[in-house]
């Protein structure tokens, strides 16, 4: 999650970044969302990985950010596939 004071706010961007020694904003928890989906929660803020634009989550290149938990929105559900 982007650094500074924004790390606890709704809308903070998710960035790929090198591993630091023990950064709280790089720790996540997977939570069962039913039907094989998971929600991904940032441990430092208790906010969830969210695809920006709740009504249009199938667009390539959509931004990923953190947001407060929605009860059952698809833009906070993620699926993992075995390869």
């Amino acid at each position: 999650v982007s650094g500074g004071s924004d790390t606890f706010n709704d809308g903070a961007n998710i960035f790929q970044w090198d591993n630091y020694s023990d950064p709280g904003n790089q720790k996540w928890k997977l939570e069962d969302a039913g039907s094989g989906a998971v929600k991904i929660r940032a441990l430092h803020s208790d906010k969830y990985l969210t695809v920006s634009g709740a009504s249009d989550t199938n667009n390539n290149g959509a931004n990923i950010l953190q947001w407060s938990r929605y009860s059952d929105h698809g833009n906070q559900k993620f699926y993992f596939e075995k390869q």
Side-chain angles (χ1 to χ4, degrees):
V1 179
S2 69
S5 62
D6 286 340
T7 62
F8 298 97
N9 295 337
D10 284 345
N13 274 315
I14 307 303
F15 292 101
Q16 175 177 303
W17 206 264
D18 290 336
N19 184 28
Y20 287 122
S21 60
D22 191 25
N25 65 340
Q26 290 184 339
K27 294 181 179 179
W28 304 86
K29 181 176 181 177
L30 301 180
E31 299 178 355
D32 183 22
S35 300
V38 295
K39 288 184 178 243
I40 304 172
R41 181 172 54 91
L43 292 180
H44 77 286
S45 66
D46 280 336
K47 297 193 184 285
Y48 290 81
L49 215 62
T50 305
V51 177
S52 183
S55 63
D56 199 9
T57 59
N58 292 321
N59 284 341
N60 290 331
N63 194 36
I64 304 287
L65 43 84
Q66 71 172 6
W67 206 267
S68 297
R69 187 180 189 281
Y70 293 125
S71 61
D72 198 30
H73 286 246
N75 66 331
Q76 289 187 332
K77 293 181 180 179
F78 295 85
Y79 298 86
F80 291 94
E81 295 180 3
K82 289 184 180 182
Q83 296 292 317

